[in-house]
Amino acid sequence: MNEGLIPARYAKALFMVACEKKVDAGLYDLMKTLERSFSQQPSLQSVLGNPYVSDSDKMDLLMTASGASVGGNVLFCDFLKLLSQNRRLDMARAIASAYIALYRRRHDIYDVRVVSAAPMSDEEQKRLRDLIGRHLGGGQMEYSTSVNPDLIGGFTVSVGNERIDASISNELKQLRLNLISK
């Protein structure tokens, strides 16, 4: 079966139960923390796939990585038990990503990532935020910024599958490609 299909089904089932119990927002925050933990600690995935690590240790690890206290989120704890019973703990990251995507779609939330060559002033960030908001035509934005000096100047904006590259490094690359093709 497709590796993307299984996590999507688990995420959908979890999302439906979370909505029913009105804990979908709290679980969304928990899943974002879990996804962030996977990003910061790549070895986390290999531990989940290790057959020599017990399922209870894997569940404890996922509880810690998500920031959930043992009794703090009963639904998440029960969900981890279900994953353990079905031998799917190694899919926790993919399920978290699918849950995040479902929640964002349902609540009209856009993940906006801006990378600039130098730190932007508050005024520049506000202008860019307003411009992106008009482009999206409404909805909420989860706005994050970072700095990458390799861009030389300008910025890039990523919203879902869309990417706008207004960096000088991109302009130089395009110019180079133009000159080579002539």
Side-chain angles (χ1 to χ4, degrees):
M1 201 176 246
N2 186 345
E3 285 291 318
L5 185 61
I6 295 170
R9 287 182 177 172
Y10 275 98
K12 184 177 180 183
L14 179 61
F15 183 70
M16 290 171 58
V17 172
C19 286
E20 186 178 296
K21 294 186 179 215
K22 301 198 185 320
V23 294
D24 56 322
L27 199 53
Y28 173 66
D29 292 335
L30 191 139
M31 291 297 190
K32 286 194 316 183
T33 303
L34 183 61
E35 177 61 37
R36 202 172 314 116
S37 294
F38 275 106
S39 295
Q40 293 170 352
Q41 294 293 328
S43 61
L44 187 58
Q45 186 63 45
S46 62
V47 171
L48 292 178
N50 188 335
Y52 297 108
V53 177
S54 71
D55 279 359
S56 63
D57 287 342
K58 291 176 184 179
M59 289 170 46
D60 289 343
L61 184 64
L62 287 169
M63 289 294 283
T64 302
S66 67
S69 62
V70 177
N73 197 317
V74 177
L75 179 60
F76 185 66
C77 190
D78 289 344
F79 184 69
L80 290 180
K81 289 176 188 171
L82 175 71
L83 292 180
S84 175
Q85 290 169 356
N86 294 338
R87 304 299 224 186
R88 302 284 192 204
L89 284 171
D90 61 328
M91 293 186 168
R93 182 177 193 174
I95 293 168
S97 294
Y99 183 92
I100 291 167
L102 274 170
Y103 186 88
R104 284 180 177 159
R105 255 193 318 273
R106 171 71 63 90
H107 294 282
D108 203 21
I109 299 171
Y110 298 97
D111 181 27
V112 178
R113 297 177 187 191
V114 177
V115 180
S116 60
M120 296 171 65
S121 69
D122 291 341
E123 182 182 315
E124 290 171 327
Q125 283 192 33
K126 184 184 179 328
R127 263 185 51 212
L128 188 58
R129 227 180 242 199
D130 291 343
L131 184 65
I132 294 168
R134 283 195 305 270
H135 172 72
L136 294 175
Q140 300 174 24
M141 288 190 291
E142 287 184 353
Y143 189 86
S144 64
T145 60
S146 60
V147 175
N148 180 358
D150 292 340
L151 295 178
I152 303 171
F155 59 88
T156 63
V157 177
S158 300
V159 181
N161 293 335
E162 287 184 71
R163 185 162 189 253
I164 300 168
D165 193 338
S167 66
I168 292 178
S169 64
N170 183 54
E171 292 294 324
L172 291 172
K173 183 172 134 185
Q174 295 302 321
L175 181 61
R176 181 177 167 268
L177 290 173
N178 237 352
L179 291 172
I180 289 173
S181 68
K182 290 185 179 185

